[in-house]
Amino acid sequence: MAELPRIVIAGRPNVGKSTLFNRLVGSRLALVADTPGVTRDRKEAVCDLGGRKVVVVDTAGLEEAAPDTLPGRMRASTSAAVDQADLVLFVFDAKSGLIPEDRHFGTWLRRKDRQVLVVANKAEGRGGIANAMEAYELGFGEPVAISAEHNEGVYDLMSEIMSRLPDEETLAEDEDNKPLHLAIVGRPNAGKSTLLNYLLGEQRMITGPEPGLTRDAVSADFEGPDGNLYRVVDTAGLRKRAKVDEGLEKMSTSSSIEALKRAEMAVLAVDAIQGVQEQDLQIARLIEREGRACVIALTKWDAVEDRPDTKKAALDRISISLSQMKGVTVVPLSAETGEGVKKLFPAIRDTYAKWNLRIPTSQLNRWFEAALERFPPPLVDGRRLKLRYITQIKARPPTFALFGTRAEQVPETYQRYLVNSLREVFEMPGVPIRIYLRGTDNPFKDRD
């Protein structure tokens, strides 16, 4: 399939790149705040501009810094995005006008030999329009004056973008190979971004020893070693609610949870050196509540000395504390060395298939009769519950409706027995299972 044109938004910190990104894609996908440097990683989205599909890329703010510093690593990430661009939108703040840093990065962009369109953002009012004209000196032609926040001039910008894109190619949709949507979740510094970089084969995400580097949910498409397409989202680290006190971090946490809701599967990254922590279990419970399929990646496996005991301790903690995800697959791996990463994909596909499982009603009720015979329903208020039949009402996750007289009174312990039996008999380890109780009315209940 032909690649979509790539439009990369670049510029200094806090000039409104993420606001423009959200405006172009028509959704608040990127975090926006008054704090400079909110965006640290490249964020991509496919959107429709003037009837044509394009990829819009939001990047970190351009700053001069040593390569081994965080701003330096952010600069390298932006540089890699620019190298792949069909068109670069070079954004500057029209309120303050061109400053030396804008001119410096304008020179830097000319060396990149990419097509550049200068965007004078925050150009509302007379002063902004006048300052926008300063951009002629950058040598990229006429700037486009806009206010992304107030949606002024954005339509003109879209028209200018479309006129500069390469000719459109006919794109053939492969219905049989749509990407599987994955979300990589976990605590801060659990190795999520390092894993995504390895999967993509490039330094897409900013990584380093500092915890909490990823602030936004960032997605990318790639082809796995199994030949299947994946759309993977790296999310900000999820901490205990009591520790999430800054406004920006609350936004990052909300973005991570929203990314999980949009995903089909989750890869829960657990630091193998620290072992399974309570917060890891809380995140796993969140995955289960959202009804997502899950595989657990024990990361940083290259740094583990006692591997058998480490894996056993992790499996024991998970089996004891995550009864609702009994049998979840655990894959030890190292994104630094690549060890074990290939084993992740068979585990993902297998779990995904079980998450999509549909069981024929006849087969389901044969199991149901055997389960009732093995352990009959308990007495409730001195009367035995009469459970009649069960049917699957949907997959993704497997969801069932249980019918019977006073079925809504089935105790949680008996519901867990049925779920565990379903999981065992129909081989659905690690997959969330839902059972809805549907009582049948007694026609003589209200008669004298």
Side-chain angles (χ1 to χ4, degrees):
M1 189 171 75
E3 289 191 4
L4 298 176
R6 298 179 69 83
I7 301 165
V8 174
I9 304 173
R12 292 185 296 106
N14 215 32
V15 295
K17 298 185 298 299
S18 294
T19 305
L20 176 57
F21 174 85
N22 288 340
R23 186 67 69 182
L24 292 177
V25 303
S27 179
R28 292 182 61 85
L29 294 179
L31 295 186
V32 176
D34 291 333
T35 309
V38 170
T39 302
R40 288 176 171 172
D41 298 295
R42 309 202 298 274
K43 187 176 186 68
E44 298 183 2
V46 176
C47 66
D48 192 307
L49 287 187
R52 184 172 178 185
K53 286 192 179 299
V54 299
V55 178
V56 182
V57 184
D58 187 22
T59 64
L62 289 166
E63 296 182 79
E64 273 299 310
D68 57 345
T69 62
L70 176 56
R73 300 199 296 272
M74 291 161 62
R75 163 85 174 271
S77 175
T78 299
S79 178
V82 169
D83 289 340
Q84 300 171 0
D86 293 291
L87 176 65
V88 178
L89 303 183
F90 182 38
V91 184
F92 77 100
D93 186 341
K95 281 187 179 177
S96 58
L98 278 184
I99 64 174
E101 286 87 346
D102 294 316
R103 295 182 177 89
H104 170 76
F105 288 117
T107 303
W108 176 76
L109 275 175
R110 275 198 299 275
R111 293 197 203 104
K112 287 285 188 181
D113 194 27
R114 297 280 104 182
Q115 185 177 196
V116 177
L117 173 59
V118 179
V119 179
N121 192 29
K122 308 182 186 180
E124 59 271 21
R126 292 182 181 177
I129 295 293
N131 289 340
M133 295 304 103
E134 296 179 9
Y136 273 107
E137 68 180 80
L138 294 174
F140 295 119
E142 182 177 358
V144 179
I146 70 164
S147 171
E149 184 176 359
H150 298 100
N151 200 25
E152 296 176 7
V154 176
Y155 179 79
D156 293 335
L157 173 62
M158 289 181 179
S159 299
E160 187 64 29
I161 289 171
M162 298 311 297
S163 70
R164 299 191 180 210
L165 292 180
D167 293 337
E168 187 171 7
E169 298 180 39
T170 302
L171 302 179
E173 285 289 337
D174 187 353
E175 293 294 329
D176 296 328
N177 199 16
K178 289 183 177 179
L180 191 161
H181 290 226
L182 290 173
I184 304 177
V185 296
R187 292 184 293 115
N189 214 29
K192 301 182 296 299
S193 296
T194 306
L195 176 57
L196 177 60
N197 286 341
Y198 183 88
L199 296 178
L200 299 181
E202 60 171 307
Q203 282 295 114
R204 171 66 184 277
M205 302 297 294
I206 307 298
T207 61
E210 307 93 335
L213 285 180
T214 302
R215 286 176 167 171
D216 209 344
V218 178
S219 67
D221 291 2
F222 71 99
E223 183 177 308
D226 55 1
N228 291 301
L229 293 180
Y230 295 88
R231 177 163 297 153
V232 63
V233 181
D234 181 27
T235 63
L238 293 166
R239 299 199 296 164
K240 292 180 181 178
R241 183 175 296 179
K243 294 184 178 180
V244 179
D245 49 10
E246 291 185 32
L248 180 57
E249 190 171 355
K250 286 181 180 178
M251 292 166 67
S252 298
T253 299
S254 298
S255 177
S256 298
I257 294 173
E258 283 303 311
L260 178 60
K261 289 179 178 179
R262 291 193 296 269
E264 296 169 297
M265 279 199 61
V267 175
L268 173 55
V270 175
D271 187 331
I273 300 171
Q274 297 183 12
V276 180
Q277 305 288 312
E278 180 57 34
Q279 184 61 9
D280 296 316
L281 300 174
Q282 292 293 344
I283 297 170
R285 293 178 188 120
L286 173 64
I287 295 169
E288 192 277 335
R289 283 199 302 273
E290 293 297 336
R292 299 299 174 255
C294 180
V295 171
I296 294 179
L298 276 182
T299 62
K300 307 180 184 179
W301 198 241
D302 58 308
V304 174
E305 295 181 2
D306 191 345
R307 293 187 171 189
D309 282 355
T310 299
K311 186 174 182 180
K312 182 178 184 302
L315 290 172
D316 288 347
R317 182 82 192 273
I318 291 166
S319 63
I320 292 170
S321 304
L322 293 176
S323 59
Q324 67 273 47
M325 294 176 68
K326 187 176 181 181
V328 63
T329 303
V330 177
V331 181
L333 58 83
S334 168
E336 287 286 347
T337 65
E339 179 186 0
V341 176
K342 284 189 176 180
K343 296 179 181 178
L344 183 63
F345 291 92
I348 288 172
R349 300 309 303 196
D350 183 56
T351 304
Y352 181 69
K354 290 166 182 170
W355 187 65
N356 281 278
L357 182 65
R358 283 194 174 275
I359 305 170
T361 301
S362 58
Q363 192 176 345
L364 191 58
N365 278 283
R366 282 197 296 272
W367 158 81
F368 186 53
E369 291 172 7
L372 293 180
E373 187 175 336
R374 189 179 307 113
F375 291 107
L379 297 175
V380 175
D381 296 331
R383 292 184 294 172
R384 188 168 297 282
L385 302 177
K386 294 181 181 179
L387 304 182
R388 304 190 183 283
Y389 67 96
I390 190 170
T391 185
Q392 184 172 2
I393 54 178
K394 75 180 192 72
R396 306 164 62 92
T399 303
F400 305 88
L402 174 60
F403 295 86
T405 305
R406 296 163 53 235
E408 70 279 1
Q409 297 180 22
V410 172
E412 285 190 15
T413 51
Y414 197 75
Q415 291 180 50
R416 281 198 296 271
Y417 157 67
L418 293 176
V419 166
N420 288 334
S421 179
L422 269 169
R423 181 173 283 125
E424 181 180 350
V425 171
F426 295 106
E427 297 181 348
M428 295 184 286
V431 174
I433 295 175
R434 305 280 189 263
I435 293 184
Y436 293 112
L437 307 174
R438 299 285 186 262
T440 53
D441 293 331
N442 183 347
F444 304 102
K445 179 179 178 182
D446 296 322
R447 294 191 179 182
D448 294 332

